Amino acid sequence: MKYGARNQIVGKVVAIKKGAVMCQVTLKVKGPVTISSVMTLDSLKELGIKKGSKARALVKAVNVLLATE
């Protein structure tokens, strides 16, 4: 799948904090760096993201989106 965001960083999901409707997903990437993204619980389920999953952070302007392979 192609994305318009050219800044793509692959990492491993190390934490998922769930709320009533939204969640925060944190990726561990190269070096001592983590990246977090906020998404709906529906998106989390649809993407199949779980702790330990590999995911890609797509960075476009001020938005950070996660995608699975």
Side-chain angles (χ1 to χ4, degrees):
M1 179 182 279
K2 292 191 178 194
Y3 305 98
R6 300 206 184 270
N7 300 306
Q8 300 184 22
I9 305 163
V10 175
K12 182 177 179 179
V13 177
V14 293
I16 299 173
K17 294 181 185 176
K18 293 182 181 178
V21 177
M22 304 292 287
C23 65
Q24 178 182 327
V25 179
T26 303
L27 292 181
K28 171 77 172 97
V29 297
K30 283 188 177 182
V33 178
T34 59
I35 296 176
S36 294
S37 179
V38 176
M39 66 180 68
T40 64
L41 293 174
D42 288 344
S43 291
L44 182 74
K45 183 178 179 180
E46 184 177 313
L47 291 169
I49 296 174
K50 297 181 181 359
K51 191 172 179 183
S53 296
K54 180 180 169 185
R56 182 179 308 267
L58 307 175
V59 183
K60 177 116 176 155
V62 296
N63 297 311
V64 176
L65 308 171
L66 299 183
T68 55
E69 297 299 320

